[in-house]
Amino acid sequence: MPKSPEQYDDIRKQKKQLIMNTALELFAENGYHTTSISQIASKAKISKGLTYNYFKSKSEILNELMEHGFNEIYDNLDINHDGILTEEEFIFFIKENFRILRENMHHWKLFFSLLLQPQVSATFAAQYEEKAGPIFNLFFGFIKSRGSKNPESDLMAISSMLEGAFLYCVAAPDVFPMDKLEEAVINSCFKIIRG
Amino acid sequence: MPKSPEQYDDIRKQKKQLIMNTALELFAENGYHTTSISQIASKAKISKGLTYNYFKSKSEILNELMEHGFNEIYDNLDINHDGILTEEEFIFFIKENFRILRENMHHWKLFFSLLLQPQVSATFAAQYEEKAGPIFNLFFGFIKSRGSKNPESDLMAISSMLEGAFLYCVAAPDVFPMDKLEEAVINSCFKIIRG
Amino acid sequence: MPKSPEQYDDIRKQKKQLIMNTALELFAENGYHTTSISQIASKAKISKGLTYNYFKSKSEILNELMEHGFNEIYDNLDINHDGILTEEEFIFFIKENFRILRENMHHWKLFFSLLLQPQVSATFAAQYEEKAGPIFNLFFGFIKSRGSKNPESDLMAISSMLEGAFLYCVAAPDVFPMDKLEEAVINSCFKIIRG
Amino acid sequence: MPKSPEQYDDIRKQKKQLIMNTALELFAENGYHTTSISQIASKAKISKGLTYNYFKSKSEILNELMEHGFNEIYDNLDINHDGILTEEEFIFFIKENFRILRENMHHWKLFFSLLLQPQVSATFAAQYEEKAGPIFNLFFGFIKSRGSKNPESDLMAISSMLEGAFLYCVAAPDVFPMDKLEEAVINSCFKIIRG
DNA sequence: GATGAATGAGATTTCATTCAT
DNA sequence: TATGAATGAAATCTCATTCAT
């Protein structure tokens, strides 16, 4: 029985997603360069050739992965409201970040590793800035609204602390217990702002 | 008339250093896997074959690089005193860290990138822990000595902040001005401890 | 429309056989070490890379060659009967050996050359003993059954003679005419046993 | 103190012999191709470069080794008498052969392995025939003088047996005890001739 | 859409040989 | 004579990508 165009489309979408999920896992765990198309294909239980039916090249898988990943992550953050954070929203925001981190460990691991090798994906840096910019602004607004004496300085400290905490979670999850770390970070944010 | 053993020793030391420096630069800039022995050799203006006169394999270059790097970095920190930090020492320690970071950008870039791909270098994780452990202890002692109400929590926050600041320096040096970042971090440490 | 699994299986079998045949010929004629993968590939009219689709390494080709070779040779000998040789069977057995030798000259040449360099193939010695042991037993039984006064001694002499004759056939086929050699060996076996 | 020309000559001879002995051992044990100039030099405790002061190339070491080896072996056999062997002389000759074999295991191992890979040394086959020819004649004369009914046939059988016994000694010295093998071979020679 | 055999460019590695000293 | 650093050719091996079916 021939399939309808819609069914074909569905299959395509599922297969593509399967390839991307598999690739993400392997890239994150073993690195982009140490992962071969063969490994991806065999883990996804498809043929090597089929991969090229969905992606022009290995690096295109990476590109799409990054793009999707950014969207998945930042869309969930839902920062498109009035642009002013209340204290609860700020806390919620950080907690959300940790939650998303835990749920997308693979993506984050890959993100961080690409951060250190920008030549892999030329478009990566640009995307990152585009996404990260509004968040900096949001934070900056919150810090100022809380009466910080030096909001620029506090933004740097808080951003660093969050970034560092995320790095610990992803790269050395056994050094600090994750929930304690989360709590420590949140508390410290307020200590920093308060002065 | 053969060269004297000392002459040969000299040549070997210099050439080995040349290879390591060249490799470090390329590894840090382009990544370990994207850097070929050919590239290293041609940048160092030697033949591919000679590389193998000095290193058993490409991965051995990486291993020696890590080992030397750790020593270079952590030896400079000189943490072998009485084990108690005064406030000045604490500040000095962080400043030293930043200074060393700036002077060994390549090493740190490589470190961070390997942190996310530990399977590259098996010995890496072990070395890291061995070196980082005493520093955690030192910090913990300082935090307690300053009357922190929750030293475990503060250690996590401060460690994260430092790690994150280093990551910003290395991976995105244009986002924050480095000297301001350094100042912000130091100030925030005290805010965190003070509570 | 993909090929059927059976078709692929067929291709793989044939191609693998082609590679093994080609390698055997070159190994036997020019030696294992002097034969490069490039030579094998170009003689088999395939690409170098394809070789590695079928064999993990060059030495694995050798291993499989030895394994197959042993089986081909010793399976043909069909020594799995009651374990007692009649005179006709003994003669037939030796003749068979010469016939197989002539038809598998390449294999035997390779065997003999590896005999002298056992470190090439670690598994080789073990396989050889496993296969040769029963034959010694069979011969020993025959020699005793014919009333030899010193069967141990006669076994040594006969084994040596056979081994030497095979070596002449393989390494210096022009020194003695092969059919005369065969006849001489068979006759001499009986002279030795008879005493 | 400058050395006299004779002393220099002496040194040269000794060094050359050292290199050849070392190379022989390694070639015999590990094979010609698997033995590198570096290994030879380091085992002989000289520099790589010095090797080329005494030999034009690696293959020239092999050539000289073969040449010397043949002479050493066959000169010791002292077959330059009247050309007629008595029974005692025949026995003595075979015993001598075994003795020499035992004392020059390395040479023989190398000989046998080259027999199977003649392309290694082009001149090898020619040398072998030149040396072996007179021996065949000597044996043929003895066999005839003892009243053999078919001396051509017996020569083949005896030659094969000797060759085979030597191969066993060299390649599989544990299969048969060497002194028993020697005895068995000698006895069997007479059985073969006697008919 | 799906397969996996096949290619070829390029990576790592080895090693006989040369050469400045 | 003696050294060992240096070369370069060639070997082994890997893998993204193509293509016939």
Side-chain angles (χ1 to χ4, degrees):
Chain A
M1 186 162 36
K3 295 192 181 69
S4 70
E6 290 77 21
Q7 282 176 307
Y8 274 124
D9 215 56
D10 229 48
I11 291 178
R12 276 198 74 82
K13 268 193 194 127
Q14 283 179 19
K15 271 285 151 72
K16 189 161 186 178
Q17 199 54 51
L18 170 65
I19 295 172
M20 285 178 67
N21 290 343
T22 311
L24 174 58
E25 201 174 327
L26 289 169
F27 287 171
E29 226 47 67
N30 306 330
Y32 172 73
H33 286 104
T34 17
T35 301
S36 71
I37 293 284
S38 287
Q39 281 170 49
I40 297 171
S42 96
K43 182 159 195 197
K45 296 199 173 102
I46 58 168
S47 72
K48 245 188 306 189
L50 191 57
T51 312
Y52 288 86
N53 212 317
Y54 292 94
F55 298 92
K56 222 174 62 249
S57 67
K58 186 182 167 187
S59 76
E60 221 209 26
I61 304 180
L62 183 63
N63 285 335
E64 290 215 26
L65 228 33
M66 299 314 299
E67 205 170 328
H68 278 237
F70 271 120
N71 293 339
E72 244 178 74
I73 291 170
Y74 286 102
D75 289 357
N76 278 333
L77 279 179
D78 182 29
I79 52 178
N80 298 318
H81 44 41
D82 55 12
I84 303 291
L85 290 177
T86 65
E87 184 176 319
E88 277 110 30
E89 282 174 332
F90 177 75
I91 293 173
F92 177 75
F93 182 85
I94 291 179
K95 287 193 169 171
E96 270 297 282
N97 250 297
F98 271 99
R99 190 185 58 74
I100 291 167
L101 185 83
R102 268 192 290 265
E103 284 178 6
N104 298 276
M105 213 65 140
H106 287 322
H107 260 120
W108 281 91
K109 216 166 175 179
L110 188 53
F111 282 7
F112 273 113
S113 83
L114 291 183
L115 256 181
L116 278 304
Q117 290 186 43
Q119 88 292 358
V120 173
S121 167
T123 55
F124 178 74
Q127 281 189 38
Y128 186 75
E129 275 188 38
E130 185 197 335
K131 297 288 182 177
I135 296 180
F136 280 133
N137 289 335
L138 207 58
F139 271 41
F140 192 61
F142 176 72
I143 293 167
K144 272 203 296 195
S145 79
R146 302 282 300 183
S148 157
K149 282 174 196 145
N150 191 342
E152 285 86 4
S153 173
D154 291 351
L155 177 63
M156 290 188 244
I158 288 173
S159 301
S160 294
M161 188 166 58
L162 280 169
E163 204 76 22
F166 295 162
L167 185 57
Y168 270 114
C169 287
V170 160
D174 300 329
V175 174
F176 300 132
M178 233 178 269
D179 50 347
K180 303 271 183 200
L181 179 61
E182 188 177 333
E183 206 189 308
V185 162
I186 292 172
N187 287 336
S188 298
C189 282
F190 288 104
K191 294 192 210 164
I192 289 169
I193 296 171
R194 194 184 319 135
Chain B
M1 207 68 54
K3 288 198 183 71
S4 73
E6 289 78 20
Q7 282 175 302
Y8 279 128
D9 219 56
D10 237 46
I11 292 175
R12 280 198 78 81
K13 264 191 199 128
Q14 282 179 24
K15 204 49 69 94
K16 187 162 187 178
Q17 201 53 55
L18 169 66
I19 294 171
M20 284 178 69
N21 291 343
T22 313
L24 174 57
E25 204 172 322
L26 289 169
F27 287 172
E29 225 46 68
N30 305 329
Y32 173 71
H33 287 104
T34 14
T35 301
S36 72
I37 294 284
S38 289
Q39 282 169 45
I40 297 171
S42 97
K43 183 161 193 198
K45 297 207 172 86
I46 57 169
S47 69
K48 256 184 306 186
L50 189 58
T51 312
Y52 289 88
N53 201 320
Y54 291 91
F55 297 92
K56 248 192 7 268
S57 66
K58 186 182 166 188
S59 78
E60 220 211 25
I61 304 180
L62 183 62
N63 284 335
E64 289 216 25
L65 229 32
M66 299 313 299
E67 204 170 331
H68 279 237
F70 271 119
N71 293 339
E72 246 179 69
I73 291 171
Y74 285 100
D75 289 355
N76 277 333
L77 280 180
D78 182 29
I79 53 179
N80 299 321
H81 44 41
D82 53 14
I84 304 290
L85 290 178
T86 64
E87 182 174 324
E88 279 103 31
E89 282 174 331
F90 178 74
I91 294 174
F92 177 75
F93 183 85
I94 293 178
K95 286 192 169 170
E96 271 296 283
N97 251 296
F98 272 100
R99 189 186 59 74
I100 291 166
L101 184 83
R102 267 192 292 265
E103 284 178 7
N104 298 275
M105 213 62 138
H106 286 321
H107 262 121
W108 282 90
K109 216 167 174 179
L110 188 52
F111 281 9
F112 274 113
S113 82
L114 291 183
L115 216 59
L116 278 305
Q117 290 187 41
Q119 88 288 8
V120 172
S121 168
T123 54
F124 176 74
Q127 282 190 38
Y128 186 76
E129 274 188 39
E130 185 196 338
K131 297 288 183 177
I135 297 181
F136 279 132
N137 290 335
L138 209 58
F139 271 42
F140 192 63
F142 176 72
I143 292 168
K144 274 202 294 194
S145 78
R146 302 283 299 182
S148 158
K149 283 174 195 147
N150 191 341
E152 285 87 3
S153 172
D154 290 351
L155 178 62
M156 290 189 242
I158 288 173
S159 301
S160 295
M161 188 166 59
L162 281 169
E163 203 76 21
F166 294 161
L167 185 58
Y168 270 115
C169 287
V170 161
D174 300 329
V175 175
F176 300 131
M178 232 177 272
D179 50 345
K180 302 274 183 200
L181 178 60
E182 186 176 334
E183 208 191 305
V185 162
I186 292 173
N187 287 336
S188 298
C189 284
F190 288 104
K191 293 193 211 166
I192 289 169
I193 297 170
R194 194 185 317 134
Chain C
M1 208 68 54
K3 288 200 184 70
S4 73
E6 289 77 21
Q7 282 175 303
Y8 279 128
D9 218 57
D10 235 48
I11 292 175
R12 278 197 79 81
K13 263 192 198 129
Q14 283 178 24
K15 206 47 73 90
K16 189 163 188 178
Q17 201 53 55
L18 169 66
I19 294 172
M20 285 179 67
N21 291 343
T22 312
L24 174 57
E25 204 173 322
L26 288 169
F27 287 171
E29 224 47 66
N30 305 330
Y32 173 72
H33 286 104
T34 15
T35 301
S36 72
I37 293 283
S38 288
Q39 282 170 45
I40 297 171
S42 97
K43 182 160 194 197
K45 298 209 172 84
I46 57 169
S47 69
K48 256 185 306 186
L50 190 57
T51 312
Y52 290 88
N53 200 319
Y54 290 92
F55 297 93
K56 245 189 14 264
S57 67
K58 187 183 164 186
S59 77
E60 220 210 27
I61 304 181
L62 183 62
N63 284 336
E64 288 216 24
L65 229 31
M66 300 312 299
E67 203 170 330
H68 279 237
F70 270 119
N71 293 340
E72 246 179 71
I73 291 171
Y74 286 100
D75 289 357
N76 278 333
L77 280 180
D78 181 30
I79 53 179
N80 298 321
H81 43 41
D82 53 14
I84 304 290
L85 290 178
T86 65
E87 183 174 323
E88 276 109 30
E89 281 174 332
F90 178 75
I91 293 173
F92 177 75
F93 183 85
I94 292 179
K95 286 192 169 171
E96 269 297 283
N97 250 299
F98 271 99
R99 188 184 60 74
I100 291 167
L101 184 83
R102 268 192 291 266
E103 284 178 6
N104 297 278
M105 212 61 139
H106 285 321
H107 262 122
W108 281 90
K109 216 167 174 178
L110 188 53
F111 281 8
F112 273 112
S113 84
L114 291 184
L115 216 58
L116 277 305
Q117 289 187 44
Q119 88 287 6
V120 172
S121 168
T123 55
F124 177 73
Q127 282 190 38
Y128 186 75
E129 274 188 39
E130 186 196 337
K131 297 289 182 176
I135 296 181
F136 280 132
N137 290 335
L138 208 57
F139 272 41
F140 192 61
F142 176 71
I143 291 168
K144 274 203 294 196
S145 78
R146 302 285 300 184
S148 158
K149 281 173 196 146
N150 192 342
E152 284 87 3
S153 174
D154 290 351
L155 177 63
M156 290 189 243
I158 287 173
S159 300
S160 294
M161 188 166 57
L162 279 168
E163 203 76 22
F166 294 160
L167 185 58
Y168 270 115
C169 287
V170 161
D174 299 330
V175 175
F176 300 130
M178 232 177 272
D179 48 347
K180 301 273 183 200
L181 179 61
E182 187 177 333
E183 207 190 307
V185 162
I186 292 173
N187 287 337
S188 298
C189 284
F190 289 103
K191 294 194 210 164
I192 289 169
I193 297 171
R194 195 185 317 136
Chain D
M1 184 164 37
K3 295 192 183 69
S4 70
E6 289 79 19
Q7 283 177 305
Y8 273 124
D9 216 56
D10 229 46
I11 291 177
R12 275 197 75 82
K13 267 192 196 128
Q14 282 178 21
K15 272 284 152 70
K16 188 162 186 177
Q17 199 54 52
L18 170 65
I19 295 172
M20 285 178 66
N21 291 343
T22 313
L24 174 57
E25 202 173 325
L26 289 170
F27 287 171
E29 227 44 69
N30 305 330
Y32 172 72
H33 286 104
T34 17
T35 301
S36 71
I37 293 282
S38 287
Q39 282 170 50
I40 297 171
S42 97
K43 181 158 197 197
K45 295 198 174 105
I46 59 168
S47 72
K48 246 188 306 186
L50 192 56
T51 312
Y52 288 87
N53 212 316
Y54 292 93
F55 298 92
K56 223 174 61 249
S57 68
K58 187 182 167 188
S59 77
E60 222 210 27
I61 304 181
L62 184 62
N63 286 335
E64 290 215 25
L65 227 33
M66 300 314 299
E67 206 170 328
H68 279 237
F70 272 120
N71 294 338
E72 245 179 73
I73 290 170
Y74 286 101
D75 289 356
N76 276 333
L77 279 180
D78 181 30
I79 53 178
N80 298 320
H81 44 40
D82 54 12
I84 303 290
L85 290 178
T86 65
E87 183 174 322
E88 277 106 31
E89 282 175 331
F90 178 76
I91 293 173
F92 177 75
F93 182 85
I94 291 178
K95 286 192 167 170
E96 269 298 281
N97 251 298
F98 271 100
R99 190 185 59 74
I100 291 167
L101 184 82
R102 268 192 290 265
E103 283 177 7
N104 297 277
M105 213 62 141
H106 286 323
H107 261 120
W108 281 91
K109 217 167 174 178
L110 187 54
F111 282 8
F112 273 113
S113 84
L114 292 183
L115 256 180
L116 278 306
Q117 291 187 43
Q119 88 293 359
V120 172
S121 167
T123 56
F124 177 73
Q127 282 189 40
Y128 186 76
E129 274 187 40
E130 185 196 336
K131 296 288 182 178
I135 296 180
F136 280 134
N137 289 335
L138 209 58
F139 271 41
F140 191 62
F142 176 71
I143 291 168
K144 273 204 295 197
S145 79
R146 302 283 300 184
S148 158
K149 282 173 197 149
N150 192 341
E152 284 88 1
S153 172
D154 290 351
L155 177 62
M156 289 190 245
I158 288 173
S159 301
S160 294
M161 189 165 58
L162 280 169
E163 203 76 23
F166 294 162
L167 185 58
Y168 270 115
C169 288
V170 160
D174 300 328
V175 174
F176 300 131
M178 233 177 271
D179 49 347
K180 303 272 183 201
L181 179 60
E182 188 177 333
E183 206 189 308
V185 162
I186 292 173
N187 287 337
S188 297
C189 282
F190 288 104
K191 293 193 209 167
I192 289 169
I193 296 171
R194 193 186 318 135

